[in-house]
Amino acid sequence: EAAVTQSPRNKVTVTGGNVTLSCRQTNSHNYMYWYRQDTGHGLRLIHYSYGAGNLQIGDVPDGYKATRTTQEDFFLLLELASPSQTSLYFCASSDASERLFFGHGTKLSVL
Amino acid sequence: GQQVQQSPASLVLQEGENAELQCNFSSTATQLQWFYQSPGGSLVSLLSNPSGTKHTGRLTSTTVTKERRSSLHISSSQTTDSGTYLCAMSGGSNAKLTFGKGTKLSVKS
């Protein structure tokens, strides 16, 4: 089973703060994704990547940057956090068949 | 863009009853997946079924590609099946999966 590890599990920051969410996958998957999940909206794609150094814009990218430093590591950056970014964030990876494997999620609160 | 609609939004069953969950999507799917989200929030891929019928354990998924719909049948439901079931699809060569809002299933003993 693919392993996707997110850190931190919980994060509280203030408006205007700087936040980095980390994700590591250990099964050599090419694709990695960042989603946010909010009541009433379901899971929405923020950014994704096909491989190290590659970045693709998702459906709700505003206010977020991402960086794929290696095959294993994908980071989500919030440089000026706002209360609207309070959410549950999921990282996922997939193989060629596109079956997704998710991390346990990061609960972010922006006060 | 791609849209995914799931129904019903919620479903309450007695243990042992069967469940039928529906997923309709706005464009032709080249990839269709069903996921389970536990009450604690963790997400697990149940199966991938872009067309035809697929079985795994007590789960059966049927996808009719040209009608842009998929269903997930859960037989002999158990209390541990309680949670939210999510449908997701992508079209063309795009790797982006679009998710529905889910069906919340509660199975009572």
Side-chain angles (χ1 to χ4, degrees):
Chain A
E1 186 77 5
V4 181
T5 304
Q6 291 182 235
S7 62
R9 295 292 296 269
N10 291 280
K11 176 73 177 179
V12 180
T13 190
V14 296
T15 300
N18 204 323
V19 177
T20 298
L21 306 184
S22 302
C23 178
R24 166 165 283 196
Q25 54 97 2
T26 59
N27 278 293
S28 302
H29 289 167
N30 287 325
Y31 302 93
M32 294 187 76
Y33 308 80
W34 278 106
Y35 285 90
R36 61 178 289 174
Q37 187 176 35
D38 305 286
T39 304
H41 290 281
L43 277 157
R44 293 180 290 174
L45 183 63
I46 305 170
H47 290 297
Y48 63 111
S49 168
Y50 294 150
N54 176 269
L55 287 172
Q56 303 291 324
I57 294 172
D59 298 320
V60 289
D62 293 347
Y64 302 95
K65 292 184 180 179
T67 179
R68 180 89 177 268
T69 54
T70 65
Q71 177 88 358
E72 295 78 20
D73 297 304
F74 195 30
F75 300 93
L76 186 68
L77 295 79
L78 291 73
E79 293 184 331
L80 286 171
S82 72
S84 65
Q85 294 175 307
T86 293
S87 188
L88 181 58
Y89 291 86
F90 285 99
C91 176
S93 70
S94 69
D95 55 19
S97 69
E98 297 182 34
R99 187 183 176 202
L100 251 61
F101 296 88
F102 282 92
H104 286 288
T106 295
K107 185 176 181 181
L108 175 66
S109 297
V110 183
L111 306 178
Chain B
Q2 298 166 168
Q3 293 185 17
V4 179
Q5 301 288 339
Q6 291 188 244
S7 61
S10 62
L11 184 60
V12 180
L13 298 176
Q14 284 297 124
E15 196 167 27
E17 292 182 326
N18 299 329
E20 188 83 14
L21 283 57
Q22 302 292 337
C23 176
N24 292 277
F25 33 93
S26 60
S27 57
T28 302
T30 54
Q31 185 59 224
L32 189 292
Q33 296 186 39
W34 285 93
F35 295 85
Y36 168 75
Q37 187 166 31
S38 71
S42 61
L43 278 157
V44 176
S45 175
L46 294 174
L47 44 73
S48 175
N49 185 31
S51 67
T53 299
K54 201 164 189 177
H55 304 275
T56 180
R58 295 182 291 107
L59 304 178
T60 300
S61 172
T62 299
T63 299
V64 183
T65 308
K66 63 181 180 180
E67 295 182 13
R68 300 178 183 175
R69 60 178 175 86
S70 181
S71 64
L72 181 69
H73 181 88
I74 306 172
S75 63
S76 303
S77 63
Q78 302 173 0
T79 56
T80 52
D81 293 331
S82 297
T84 300
Y85 291 79
L86 300 170
C87 170
M89 60 77 69
S90 65
S93 60
N94 200 326
K96 288 170 48 176
L97 280 175
T98 299
F99 282 78
K101 294 180 181 179
T103 293
K104 186 175 181 180
L105 175 66
S106 296
V107 182
K108 309 291 186 185
S109 59

